[in-house]
Amino acid sequence: MGRQARVMDGLKQRIKKAVQNQPQPTVTILSSLLAVEDELGYIPREAVEEVATFNQATINDVWAVVSFYPNFRTVPPCEHRIEVCWGPSCHLVGAMPVIASVLEAAGMEDEGDTPDGKLTIRYNTCLGACALAPVMSVDHRLAGRITPEKGRELVSKTLDSASGGEA
Amino acid sequence: MPDDITISIDGVEIKTQPGKMVLEAAIDAGIYVPYLCYHPGMKPFAACRMCVVSVEGGRGYPAACTLPVADGMRVRSEANDVIELRRSVMQMLIAEHPNGCLTCHRIDICGPSDVCLRHVSVNDRCVTCPKNERCEFKDTVRYLGMELESPLNYKYKQMPLEVNDPFYDRDYNLCIACGRCVRACEEVRGDDAICFTERSGKALVGTSFGTSLLESGCEFCGACIDVCPVGALVERDHKWEKPRRIEPTICPHCPVGCQLNLELNDAQEMIRVVPELNAPANRGQACFKGKFGLEFLNRNDRLKQPLIRRDGNLMEATWEEALELIASRLPEYQGDAFALLAAPDCTNEELYLAQKFARVAMGSNNLDVLSNLQPESTLALERGMGFAAATNSIWDLEQSDCILVFNANVTEDNNVVALPIKAARKRGASLIVIDVREVELTRHADLWLRPAPGSELLLLGGILREIIDQGLDKKDWVEEHCEDPSTLLYYLHNLDLEEVASVTQVPRESIAEAARLFGASGKSAVCFALDNIAQELQRDCASALVDLVLLTGNVGEAGSGIYPVRQGANEQGAWDVGCIANRLPGRGAARNDRARTELEEILQCSLPSDRGIGSKGCLDAAAEGQVKAMVLLGGSQNLTNGRLGDALSALQGLEFLVIADTFLSEFAPVADVVLPRSTLAEKDGTLTNLERRIQRLKPAYASPSGGARDDFWLLVELGQRLGATGFHFSTGDEVMEEIARVVPAYAGVSYQALDAAGSLVLTSGLESPKPTQMLYAGRAHQGIQWPVSEGQGKGTPILYTESFPIERANLVAPEFRIVDAEPDPAYPARLAPGRVLLQRDRDNRIELQQDTRRNDIVREEVLEFNATDAQRWQVSEGDTVRVECPGRDLKGIVRLNSSLPEGVIAVTGLFGQLAVELENSAEPVPMARVPGLDLEPARVVKME
């Protein structure tokens, strides 16, 4: 068995475990997908198959759910994740310039993943810290009172700390 | 009906039944209420909101498709407020669909190359949409009388066209997300090959991870195309052509007898096949063979003139010369030296004449339909219960609680029969599949038993024994309706269940479970064929299945019964009218003196009394020189698919061979006379499907060249020229009248009765101003299921509801034994090919073929081995091995599978692969060149 196959088997094992060990009493396609997302950070093709089998549904049934929720990822997550809030409070005190500078620092035009897989940028409608608006988060750590300069700084720090950064 | 209730729609009172929805009641009454997501035959969905109505005394605007009728309900459909609401709903819908043309007043006079004054882009113009002139969406917009300008912005979605899959072109820029296709695939077909994707403004139809249909589990039945109200889903062939005429016909490919509508263009070419919604056998469904396998009708290499062999060469001749030659040569071969084989796409009338010609004019009982390779499946039904036919209607299976599918590849051979089976399964019924091959239904099966080849009969014995042991037999019923079962019980009690389990290699618990499911589920039914069953076991296997049905009392009710899965379109008809060796029309064996004398008296002629030989025997006899002259009506798949052996060399041995054929076939070089033959679409007559339904067939168009003739005309001409009595027929009606006199089950059947058995279904024709939604409805031809009750002309959908025609049913006692096929030392193993819709855990890569621009499946085969065999062949999981069969080699990766019996190597292909192969074929019988799922002798070669 080749290395690729072993990696695949490992992935399948993790998916199986995640799907089978759901603590809550009601298990659905959605809950199974969330369990996989928690485990892997995304929903690979194998997971769609496994969730379908586990819930006695078809892969297309499962896909209808996966694609319905924009928050499910179907490709592996990037190393880091930055979320910029553009909810009403942040918007009023200047979220849009922050977003513009964050995107510029990452070399992107819109939310999404960087091509090198280092960084995911997502807009968020509320990070729950309106008193600190405008807010962004780096790998789920909140940072408040962001200015465009501070945003740019955080992005370049994050990019530098990415493992691929030195290479 | 006593339970009629009355509702009114816009003041028009209509009668309807409780349980119906307002929309259905309106359609039944011929009142048009616009709709887009609703489709007859599927559950209401209430998504498009096009059918909103208001109810007096009610609140709001409910959708008529999900509003149950109530007595005295007063519905308003054409009121101003309702119409306004529908218009605003439509405004939202057309914001998602190109609409520049929909609201243009020049729409009817616009051509593809016209300059558009409204600057509608080429992508968005109706004249460049394949569904133009048959678009439900456009018709609905026009029905609503929309304003010219929509206040909502429309933006072209810029989605790439999906044109690389076989048969289908998909353009999701035109999709209005009505969900009809998704529901057809899931609800009606049970396949779930497509699903809704994403949501809100981006919601569309697609597949998991956007894969091609080849990998998504599509069976290419075309059901989604048939229900699409816009141009999003269309057939690729003749995509842009508009029908000028729509003519009904019956599918020639299998005995389900699907009623199809052929769309014809001005040049009389068949451009599209649309299954008939009101047809009782297929209910608006077809399959890849019926939907896409009729392209051969358009082939321009039809035989146009008779050919006669002169000086060793086939030369064109007139019909007169050809008939004269046949009439002068055939008398030399009177009696046993003559044989007649007919293709299963002959009508009942033709088959009746064919047997009459062979028996009366030629004095030979050597006759058969070419597809009749499993005669035992029919004979066992007759022996056990009295009638040589399926007991129930196809769609009765929907009501079954347990269905046993025995060695039958239903999804491919009788595709539409699989639909009620899958529907029943979805409803909660159990499905048992007994087959060593991985056929499509195994995916849906609760229990899949893979007996070792040769031990199938013993397995059935084991199941019967378990039925008895678990007390699941209906003793009272058996006592009342059946002959004494003690011989059968004796045989069963002699079985050692442990031994059965070890010989069949099916675990004992599984055998017990199969018995429990079948015996204790309520109404159980059997669908069976004898594919890959050893010749010497066929008779007993079929009888054991009949026993299973009888012992458990599963007879005479919807949802119970037994169905043989056959190959040929009109094989049932051939059995009925006696176009089978040793079987007189309606009267059993030719050797039975009483039956024969009776028939001789009715027909005023004398009949041969020998057994006669059937399809397989005829070819052997021809090869050996016993049969010297033969008439072949139609070159059937059964001559080319190898199941009858080397037909070509067998036919070479004949002294005189007449072939009536639509195209010049590979048998022409050995024929003395080749006659151009009409296709089924050009014939007039009746066909009998597998549920005994006699359906009227009328020619969709005249034979194109004018030179081709149907077998009816040919047989009448030849019969008359040979001076035989009883060949003075000019119409099929006259022949049917004689069949009705000769065949008791057909008594009372006439063309008049068949026409009367139809009912008018509301329709709007091509020229109608109303929307196209009921375009394909028309007069529904119900046909008549024989036997016909005397006097009333009514058929019998379910046999044996009260009693058996043979007084008591026979519980035939087979000797439960196995056949140990002598293994060929060169090929000691057996390869069991399978075919499924979807293989989740298989590495299927899809690659675009550069030459054809079509998707193709590229993958490594997985060869499944039993652990013991793997040891014997010294292979282990993950090895790459080659399996050699006579005629083909397979390379693949070894996977161990404990459910396989020893000595069997399994390999499973995909339907998608079949579709790719079929797409480029214009064969009259699409499956003829496709490898079937026959077991093959095999050996394993390990690769370094």
Side-chain angles (χ1 to χ4, degrees):
Chain A
M1 209 183 286
R3 184 175 168 270
Q4 186 73 29
R6 267 201 302 277
V7 171
M8 290 299 293
D9 273 5
L11 185 70
K12 277 186 190 166
Q13 287 310 316
R14 284 173 72 190
I15 294 168
K16 250 201 177 101
K17 224 170 140 189
V19 170
Q20 284 168 358
N21 296 336
Q22 297 177 58
Q24 75 280 19
T26 311
V27 170
T28 59
I29 292 179
L30 185 57
S31 76
S32 309
L33 289 170
L34 286 168
V36 174
E37 177 97 6
D38 282 347
E39 170 68 24
L40 300 175
Y42 75 114
I43 312 285
R45 205 169 162 148
E46 292 76 12
V48 171
E49 286 164 5
E50 181 59 38
V51 170
T53 310
F54 189 73
N55 291 285
Q56 293 182 349
T58 67
I59 50 171
N60 286 312
D61 285 340
V62 177
W63 179 253
V65 179
V66 174
S67 65
F68 185 87
Y69 294 103
N71 282 346
F72 279 129
R73 293 181 61 96
T74 55
V75 290
C78 292
E79 215 168 315
H80 298 285
R81 182 182 178 94
I82 287 182
E83 296 192 36
V84 192
C85 183
W86 65 352
S89 308
C90 294
H91 186 87
L92 286 173
V93 292
M96 294 323 276
V98 172
I99 286 180
S101 79
V102 164
L103 286 177
E104 197 203 328
M108 292 171 67
E109 288 182 354
D110 204 348
E111 62 176 340
D113 300 346
T114 55
D116 56 10
K118 284 184 196 162
L119 182 62
T120 299
I121 295 177
R122 291 298 300 265
Y123 311 147
N124 195 305
T125 41
C126 187
L127 287 166
C130 301
L132 300 175
V135 184
M136 64 187 270
S137 80
V138 179
D139 294 331
H140 304 291
R141 251 205 322 271
L142 280 180
R145 306 227 191 281
I146 302 292
T147 57
E149 293 72 38
K150 219 168 157 186
R152 190 176 301 123
E153 204 176 300
L154 278 172
V155 170
S156 34
K157 241 194 230 165
T158 312
L159 282 175
D160 287 343
S161 71
S163 62
E166 293 86 29
Chain B
M1 256 185 270
D3 54 353
D4 269 1
I5 56 174
T6 308
I7 65 168
S8 82
I9 297 178
D10 292 327
V12 183
E13 300 224 322
I14 57 172
K15 290 232 177 290
T16 182
Q17 292 84 42
K20 287 215 162 165
M21 300 298 157
V22 169
L23 180 61
E24 290 169 325
I27 292 173
D28 288 348
I31 296 172
Y32 178 70
V33 175
Y35 60 84
L36 286 169
C37 71
Y38 172 81
H39 194 270
M42 291 193 275
K43 279 186 224 131
F45 196 47
C48 71
R49 313 311 292 181
M50 201 39 59
C51 65
V52 287
V53 290
S54 73
V55 181
E56 272 178 34
R59 252 177 44 187
Y61 297 91
C65 64
T66 49
L67 180 65
V69 293
D71 202 15
M73 188 182 234
R74 303 178 70 79
V75 178
R76 288 156 68 245
S77 168
E78 297 287 303
N80 283 338
D81 54 337
V82 176
I83 294 174
E84 265 321 304
L85 182 60
R86 286 180 189 152
R87 282 182 185 150
S88 49
V89 170
M90 182 54 95
Q91 271 173 357
M92 288 189 267
L93 279 171
I94 58 176
E96 297 279 311
H97 182 92
N99 58 37
C101 297
L102 289 177
T103 51
C104 177
H105 65 283
R106 293 187 74 253
I107 189 163
D108 286 327
I109 48 171
C110 184
S113 53
D114 286 7
V115 174
C116 177
L117 300 175
R118 305 174 86 222
H119 303 294
V120 177
S121 91
V122 173
N123 283 337
D124 291 351
R125 291 172 67 181
C126 280
V127 282
T128 56
C129 170
K131 275 275 176 72
N132 193 23
E133 292 184 27
R134 51 190 183 106
C135 173
E136 289 181 35
F137 190 62
K138 177 164 112 184
D139 288 350
T140 309
V141 174
R142 298 171 77 192
Y143 171 81
L144 292 175
M146 302 288 285
E147 290 296 320
L148 286 185
E149 297 298 332
S150 166
L152 300 170
N153 276 334
Y154 159 75
K155 201 169 144 233
Y156 186 65
K157 290 183 197 148
Q158 303 271 17
M159 318 242 332
L161 308 191
E162 310 267 0
V163 294
N164 301 323
D165 279 323
F167 303 123
Y168 295 11
D169 273 3
R170 295 178 289 153
D171 180 357
Y172 288 120
N173 295 300
L174 305 179
C175 178
I176 54 168
C178 67
R180 279 191 193 174
C181 54
V182 176
R183 288 179 293 141
C185 194
E186 191 223 321
E187 207 177 298
V188 183
R189 307 294 311 195
D191 287 346
D192 292 285
I194 44 175
C195 62
F196 283 115
T197 59
E198 311 217 17
R199 65 169 166 187
S200 65
K202 285 181 170 174
L204 270 184
V205 173
T207 58
S208 168
F209 281 90
T211 56
S212 79
L213 292 177
L214 288 179
E215 329 159 67
S216 76
C218 176
E219 61 167 296
F220 296 91
C221 64
C224 53
I225 296 181
D226 293 331
V227 295
C228 183
V230 293
L233 303 177
V234 289
E235 300 90 342
R236 180 174 306 121
D237 285 338
H238 312 279
K239 181 173 173 178
W240 306 101
E241 287 197 70
K242 316 281 179 258
R244 287 294 168 256
R245 246 167 10 105
I246 297 175
E247 298 291 344
T249 191
I250 294 174
C251 182
H253 292 322
C254 89
V256 171
C258 291
Q259 292 181 22
L260 305 174
N261 291 298
L262 300 184
E263 293 190 353
L264 306 168
N265 65 10
D266 286 330
Q268 248 195 37
E269 274 174 337
M270 190 280 298
I271 55 170
R272 225 166 279 122
V273 176
V274 182
E276 169 61 51
L277 208 53
N278 298 305
N282 57 309
R283 299 192 180 177
Q285 296 305 309
C287 69
F288 58 102
K289 288 186 276 181
K291 181 87 184 159
F292 301 107
L294 291 177
E295 195 57 36
F296 74 92
L297 295 175
N298 293 338
R299 267 168 66 173
N300 52 14
D301 57 342
R302 288 276 298 261
L303 281 170
K304 296 191 176 83
Q305 259 194 303
L307 306 172
I308 291 178
R309 190 166 297 282
R310 290 192 180 111
D311 305 327
N313 296 319
L314 280 178
M315 313 283 272
E316 287 196 349
T318 62
W319 269 101
E320 183 59 32
E321 288 169 320
L323 292 174
E324 264 315 303
L325 175 68
I326 300 170
S328 67
R329 290 288 308 274
L330 278 187
E332 294 170 40
Y333 306 103
Q334 285 278 350
D336 289 349
F338 175 79
L340 183 148
L341 298 178
D345 66 345
C346 289
T347 62
N348 287 328
E349 291 76 5
E350 289 172 337
L351 291 170
Y352 178 79
L353 286 173
Q355 65 84 27
K356 197 171 181 184
F357 179 78
R359 291 193 169 115
V360 178
M362 295 301 298
S364 167
N365 263 334
N366 303 339
L367 68 148
D368 209 344
V369 275
L370 281 157
S371 63
N372 183 30
L373 298 177
Q374 301 175 352
E376 283 302 336
S377 62
T378 308
L379 287 170
L381 294 170
E382 188 177 47
R383 206 163 42 230
M385 298 187 286
F387 285 119
T391 57
N392 292 51
S393 305
I394 292 168
W395 290 84
D396 278 3
L397 283 168
E398 254 183 333
Q399 300 171 43
S400 296
D401 300 309
C402 175
I403 299 164
L404 168 68
V405 177
F406 179 83
N407 272 58
N409 185 5
V410 182
T411 318
E412 277 170 63
D413 291 339
N414 293 184
N415 183 285
V416 168
V417 177
L419 305 186
I421 296 179
K422 290 184 202 172
R425 175 70 189 77
K426 221 163 221 180
R427 215 199 60 236
S430 318
L431 176 63
I432 309 167
V433 175
I434 299 181
D435 206 322
V436 74
R437 308 165 297 176
E438 186 173 7
V439 289
E440 198 268 325
L441 282 179
T442 56
R443 176 181 138 194
H444 300 267
D446 298 276
L447 193 59
W448 173 23
L449 311 182
R450 304 179 95 168
S455 72
E456 297 87 353
L457 178 59
L458 192 63
L459 176 62
L460 290 176
I463 294 175
L464 283 166
R465 168 72 186 272
E466 280 285 356
I467 295 264
I468 306 282
D469 285 1
Q470 297 181 30
L472 298 171
D473 53 330
K474 299 245 165 66
K475 294 190 184 67
D476 298 346
W477 189 88
V478 170
E479 195 171 328
E480 192 183 336
H481 292 98
C482 303
E483 299 284 356
D484 184 16
S486 51
T487 324
L488 175 67
L489 296 182
Y490 173 76
Y491 275 128
L492 290 176
H493 282 299
N494 278 347
L495 288 176
D496 174 359
L497 282 172
E498 285 302 329
E499 198 187 317
V500 172
S502 81
V503 172
T504 58
Q505 300 186 46
V506 175
R508 192 166 162 186
E509 315 79 74
S510 303
I511 300 178
E513 176 70 0
R516 192 187 63 75
L517 287 176
F518 194 87
S521 289
K523 288 174 291 184
S524 301
V526 171
C527 271
F528 77 106
L530 300 168
D531 297 359
N532 297 311
I533 301 284
Q535 193 70 39
E536 51 268 52
L537 290 184
Q538 293 201 346
R539 177 196 168 97
D540 287 344
C541 270
S543 284
L545 289 162
V546 175
D547 290 345
L548 181 62
V549 169
L550 288 174
L551 268 185
T552 52
N554 276 305
V555 176
E557 266 186 295
S560 65
I562 179 163
Y563 302 73
V565 172
R566 301 200 187 95
Q567 299 282 331
N570 200 21
E571 221 173 291
Q572 182 65 52
W575 280 91
D576 298 342
V577 302
C579 191
I580 305 274
N582 196 26
R583 188 174 183 86
L584 298 174
R587 328 209 147 233
R591 294 212 305 170
N592 181 335
D593 289 334
R594 220 185 75 211
R596 200 178 62 252
T597 337
E598 259 177 36
L599 194 62
E600 282 173 338
E601 239 159 70
I602 300 177
L603 295 178
Q604 298 289 309
C605 61
S606 73
L607 299 165
S609 61
D610 61 312
R611 267 187 102 72
I613 38 183
S615 288
K616 197 160 176 77
C618 275
L619 289 182
D620 291 343
E624 286 159 17
Q626 281 166 275
V627 165
K628 296 190 174 71
M630 195 183 284
V631 171
L632 279 177
L633 300 175
S636 163
Q637 58 169 332
N638 297 87
L639 281 173
T640 48
N641 67 3
R643 290 199 183 146
L644 283 169
D646 188 355
L648 191 59
S649 69
L651 296 178
Q652 214 142 20
L654 291 168
E655 289 175 23
F656 189 62
L657 173 63
V658 177
I659 299 182
D661 226 339
T662 311
F663 305 101
L664 202 62
S665 70
E666 64 236 71
F667 299 109
V670 296
D672 296 279
V673 181
V674 178
L675 303 169
R677 180 173 183 256
S678 305
T679 63
L680 195 63
E682 297 152 16
K683 284 182 181 177
D684 191 2
T686 59
L687 293 171
T688 306
N689 80 350
L690 74 86
E691 48 178 6
R692 297 168 280 109
R693 194 183 297 278
I694 306 164
Q695 304 195 95
R696 182 85 166 83
L697 173 75
K698 290 179 184 163
Y701 49 82
S703 295
S705 58
R709 298 290 197 149
D710 53 24
D711 305 326
F712 181 96
W713 180 86
L714 172 68
L715 290 162
V716 167
E717 279 289 322
L718 287 179
Q720 288 180 1
R721 278 167 202 255
L722 287 180
T725 52
F727 277 89
H728 288 278
F729 297 108
S730 49
T731 63
D733 210 357
E734 295 164 15
V735 180
M736 183 46 86
E737 197 243 335
E738 184 168 315
I739 295 176
R741 265 194 299 134
V742 172
V743 181
Y746 281 56
V749 177
S750 65
Y751 284 10
Q752 211 187 349
L754 286 169
D755 285 340
S759 57
L760 199 66
V761 172
L762 292 155
T763 176
S764 58
L766 277 180
E767 60 291 323
S768 159
K770 279 214 176 145
T772 37
Q773 270 139 349
M774 284 175 279
L775 184 67
Y776 301 115
R779 207 178 158 75
H781 292 281
Q782 294 296 316
I784 299 177
Q785 284 171 286
W786 67 253
V788 184
S789 62
E790 218 136 325
Q792 302 165 352
K794 281 230 166 65
T796 315
I798 302 174
L799 290 178
Y800 321 123
T801 44
E802 269 142 39
S803 61
F804 293 93
I806 48 172
E807 288 179 28
R808 278 165 170 275
N810 273 319
L811 283 160
V812 177
E815 187 194 328
F816 296 102
R817 62 192 189 281
I818 57 161
V819 171
D820 231 345
E822 192 83 345
D824 181 348
Y827 295 101
R830 252 168 296 183
L831 182 77
R835 195 146 41 222
V836 295
L837 295 181
L838 187 69
Q839 286 171 316
R840 283 180 181 172
D841 51 354
R842 225 24 102 68
D843 183 26
N844 299 315
R845 272 178 302 123
I846 300 297
E847 274 178 16
L848 194 63
Q849 292 303 102
Q850 287 312 313
D851 47 345
T852 56
R853 308 288 304 158
R854 292 280 176 278
N855 284 327
D856 202 356
I857 302 170
V858 181
R859 62 175 195 165
E860 234 161 347
E861 291 291 358
V862 170
L863 297 163
E864 291 178 298
F865 283 77
N866 177 299
T868 318
D869 284 334
Q871 220 161 34
R872 184 193 319 164
W873 297 107
Q874 298 182 331
V875 296
S876 48
E877 177 105 18
D879 285 357
T880 303
V881 295
R882 199 167 73 232
V883 169
E884 296 180 347
C885 300
R888 70 162 172 159
D889 280 5
L890 268 173
K891 207 182 97 180
I893 293 176
V894 173
R895 190 176 287 178
L896 299 187
N897 184 338
S898 59
S899 77
L900 267 176
E902 279 171 40
V904 175
I905 302 162
V907 62
T908 303
L910 278 176
F911 254 72
Q913 219 142 15
L914 193 67
V916 171
E917 282 173 42
L918 287 176
E919 198 193 6
N920 299 320
S921 143
E923 286 292 328
V925 183
M927 298 297 277
R929 313 265 170 201
V930 175
L933 302 186
D934 293 338
L935 293 191
E936 291 172 77
R939 63 170 170 238
V940 180
V941 181
K942 200 173 170 184
M943 294 172 67
E944 289 313 312

